[in-house]
Amino acid sequence: YGTLLEELGKVTKASVQMQKALTLDPLSIIINAGVASYHAKLGRYDEAMRQFEKIIEIDPTVAQGYFGKAHLYWAVYGQLNEAVPWLRKTVSVDPNSPQYSSFFGGLYLSLGDNKRVDCWLDRAMKLSPEGLFPNLLMTYLHATRDENDLALLYARKTHKISPTNRDALIFIRD
């Protein structure tokens, strides 16, 4: 309910509901992940990081905590090298996730490591050839290599999977 309130823009009520949920079930991965996401959306990154650490503490076999930390280091703090070990741990916990493999490819794309980009995005495409994230990251990869026909092909596949995906629409338009 707290997540719904947050999406409706009722931030104060959402916070109250999330605290109630945590009080009722402090070991729930779903509740803790929702609270972490809530903090991140509000720019409370230190609190989000603590919540992701709490998820790891509750159950170290769940990838969400590791991925959350990797994402904050990468997307928020711009510390790509710090994100690598957390993303590596994410993939070791959930090796069959095309999303995590795609993000690893994206991270190496940001780092300019073409060999690792290819490895991770190939893996993601094998895991889910029709998946949103593998196709979107393949769009970025080919666009950065000036392989515009391939970038457009993957942008169209991404658009077919997710017609409202902003990045795919931009690639198709341009």
Side-chain angles (χ1 to χ4, degrees):
Y1 184 60
T3 305
L4 175 62
L5 288 170
E6 175 207 345
E7 289 176 11
L8 293 173
K10 299 180 180 188
V11 178
T12 304
K13 288 183 180 181
S15 180
V16 169
Q17 288 301 315
M18 288 186 187
Q19 288 309 311
K20 283 182 183 177
L22 274 177
T23 301
L24 291 171
D25 193 354
L27 300 180
S28 167
I29 298 297
I30 293 171
I31 294 170
N32 278 280
V35 171
S37 175
Y38 170 76
H39 287 311
K41 285 179 186 174
L42 293 179
R44 300 176 186 162
Y45 303 120
D46 291 341
E47 292 176 51
M49 186 68 82
R50 282 192 293 278
Q51 208 67 43
F52 287 126
E53 289 168 354
K54 175 83 173 168
I55 293 169
I56 295 167
E57 181 183 310
I58 293 168
D59 188 349
T61 66
V62 173
Q64 278 180 295
Y66 304 109
F67 181 72
K69 289 186 71 152
H71 189 263
L72 286 176
Y73 279 120
W74 177 15
V76 174
Y77 301 129
Q79 298 174 1
L80 280 62
N81 287 321
E82 189 66 32
V84 170
W86 293 107
L87 203 45
R88 188 172 290 127
K89 183 64 176 175
T90 303
V91 172
S92 75
V93 171
D94 190 355
N96 296 318
S97 168
Q99 177 184 356
Y100 298 148
S101 293
S102 297
F103 277 100
F104 223 148
L107 178 64
Y108 282 122
L109 184 62
S110 296
L111 289 168
D113 188 334
N114 287 326
K115 184 177 177 182
R116 288 189 174 142
V117 170
D118 291 340
C119 172
W120 284 101
L121 292 184
D122 286 348
R123 176 184 174 140
M125 289 301 291
K126 286 176 185 165
L127 288 168
S128 183
E130 300 304 317
L132 173 62
F133 292 108
N135 282 285
L136 181 59
L137 270 291
M138 291 297 283
T139 304
Y140 295 142
L141 171 67
H142 292 295
T144 62
R145 293 180 177 170
D146 292 324
E147 298 168 343
N148 297 327
D149 290 342
L150 285 171
L152 183 58
L153 171 81
Y154 284 105
R156 287 184 174 141
K157 282 183 73 176
T158 302
H159 176 65
K160 184 177 179 183
I161 297 161
S162 177
T164 60
N165 185 282
R166 184 174 162 263
D167 292 339
L169 290 169
I170 291 169
F171 275 106
I172 291 168
R173 180 194 70 202
D174 294 344

